Amino acid sequence: MTNQDEAVAVPPLTLAWVSRHLEVGERIVRTEVLYGGITAEMRRLTIGGRDGGTRDLVLRSFVDPFYGERAEDWLSREAGALTLLAGSGVPAPGLVAVDPTAAHCEYPSLLMTHLAGRPVLDDEGLETRLPLLARQLVEIHALRPAVRPREYAALTTADTVVVPKGADAAAWAAAIDVIRKPAPPYEGRFLHRDFQPGNVLFGVPASGLAGARITGVVDWAATSWGPADLDVAHCSTNLALLHGPARGLRFPEAYEEAGGVLAAAPSERLYWQVRDGLACSEEVQSVMRAWREAGRTELTTRAVEERLDAYVTALMDTLG
């Protein structure tokens, strides 16, 4: 490798494992840390071939012991999803190899192809990107795998919600009461389960963000089977925190305009929207940190909490 900095160098066992999955005559010539993730350490590996050409792979490793406890499940699920998505038309990475139990590597790891593009988290050009996000999610939900992934798991309960300091107490109490009720019936769909701007790659032309186009969807570790409303709600919450509550409230409409189908009853839609908004209350710190690393330094913990409060309150006002 030409770059031996400890922050980017691949550990020796993992290096040997990656090398076994390269083509004859190939070697790693450069490594680069990819920032913005929360649960795993990500590296881009530039692979040099005998003909002088290069290609890029991405190495995902669960280094943190806290997340490492769930790595086997996440990596196995992601490997299955990437295998399923191959040839589906959904722009996802290709699976190269996976070591979910760290049988060969220092840490549980997955090796995949690298997709062009980058996440775009700026406010600029959002009105153009919003319908692109919606259409991409409709395409994901249209997949009908022969073997369904496991049923979705709820990410919060009424007893674990963290009410932000200074939040509208009445609105949050009403929202918590919503998720105390049983989940509404739903028609199952193939879910990404973490579909949001940080996991969507865009190609950005020289003309600017208004001309951006989706080049890939990444991080399929939570792939599940469940209601389309849940994926839509998750993206809505993230849009609300990144760009303001009004943008989050707009996304379900964009999803329907793209051909997606949501729950018919307003009360059922409210359940899924509120459930995801409240789940985010427990993750503000980690979500905010990833966005700040990506350049949104104005999104302090307090700023994100205020947007979350405004979004949950708006949900209860407009949909309740």
Side-chain angles (χ1 to χ4, degrees):
M1 292 184 294
T2 59
N3 191 337
Q4 294 293 338
D5 188 287
E6 290 184 1
V8 297
V10 179
L13 293 178
T14 305
L15 177 61
W17 175 75
V18 170
S19 298
R20 289 198 296 272
H21 291 92
L22 301 181
E23 296 177 7
V24 176
E26 287 188 325
R27 62 189 181 91
I28 301 173
V29 298
R30 185 173 184 273
T31 65
E32 175 188 356
V33 173
L34 301 176
Y35 294 99
I38 296 174
T39 59
E41 189 177 84
M42 306 288 290
R43 291 183 178 88
R44 179 164 65 183
L45 311 179
T46 300
I47 311 300
R50 288 185 297 184
D51 61 357
T54 62
R55 64 186 179 110
D56 288 336
L57 299 176
V58 173
L59 175 66
R60 178 182 178 94
S61 299
F62 284 84
V63 176
D64 189 318
F66 177 80
Y67 296 113
E69 292 180 359
R70 298 187 62 184
E72 181 177 359
D73 172 48
W74 285 339
L75 289 181
S76 296
R77 202 182 315 190
E78 183 161 28
L82 296 185
T83 300
L84 166 71
L85 291 164
S88 70
V90 174
L95 177 67
V96 177
V98 63
D99 181 16
T101 62
H104 307 285
C105 305
E106 282 82 358
Y107 308 102
S109 300
L110 184 142
L111 187 66
M112 58 191 142
T113 60
H114 175 266
L115 299 177
R118 62 178 176 85
V120 179
L121 306 181
D122 305 293
D123 291 333
E124 180 189 349
L126 180 62
E127 292 307 316
T128 300
R129 297 195 305 277
L130 202 66
L132 298 180
L133 290 169
R135 285 200 292 271
Q136 184 61 75
L137 191 53
V138 170
E139 291 178 11
I140 292 171
H141 291 165
L143 295 173
R144 296 293 181 269
V147 178
R148 294 179 180 178
R150 69 186 60 186
E151 199 77 7
Y152 79 93
L155 300 180
T156 193
T157 70
D159 297 323
T160 59
V161 173
V162 179
V163 180
K165 183 178 179 180
D168 186 322
W172 279 73
I176 291 171
D177 283 343
V178 168
I179 67 167
R180 290 188 191 278
K181 302 171 185 176
Y186 60 86
E187 183 177 354
R189 290 286 184 270
F190 182 85
L191 305 182
H192 180 283
R193 199 63 178 95
D194 192 16
F195 186 87
Q196 42 93 3
N199 284 331
V200 179
L201 307 180
F202 284 86
V204 182
S207 58
L209 291 175
R213 291 292 180 268
I214 291 176
T215 57
V217 181
V218 298
D219 196 355
W220 296 85
T223 303
S224 308
W225 188 260
D229 287 80
L230 195 53
D231 262 357
V232 173
H234 188 64
C235 192
S236 296
T237 300
N238 280 267
L239 288 168
L241 302 189
L242 273 169
H243 307 294
R247 303 298 178 84
L249 294 170
R250 165 79 177 89
F251 188 66
E253 181 182 351
Y255 178 81
E256 289 186 305
E257 290 172 352
V261 177
L262 296 172
S267 61
E268 294 177 354
R269 296 189 184 196
L270 177 64
Y271 177 90
W272 300 113
Q273 292 286 98
V274 166
R275 174 165 284 287
D276 192 86
L278 297 186
C280 191
S281 73
E282 303 171 42
E283 302 176 332
V284 166
Q285 288 284 352
S286 57
V287 169
M288 174 272 301
R289 184 173 62 252
W291 290 342
R292 287 174 62 82
E293 287 179 354
R296 293 295 302 271
T297 55
E298 81 282 9
L299 292 179
T300 62
T301 300
R302 185 60 188 152
V304 173
E305 287 179 339
E306 288 176 349
R307 285 186 171 181
L308 179 59
D309 176 39
Y311 177 62
V312 170
T313 300
L315 285 174
M316 299 309 296
D317 288 343
T318 63
L319 299 178

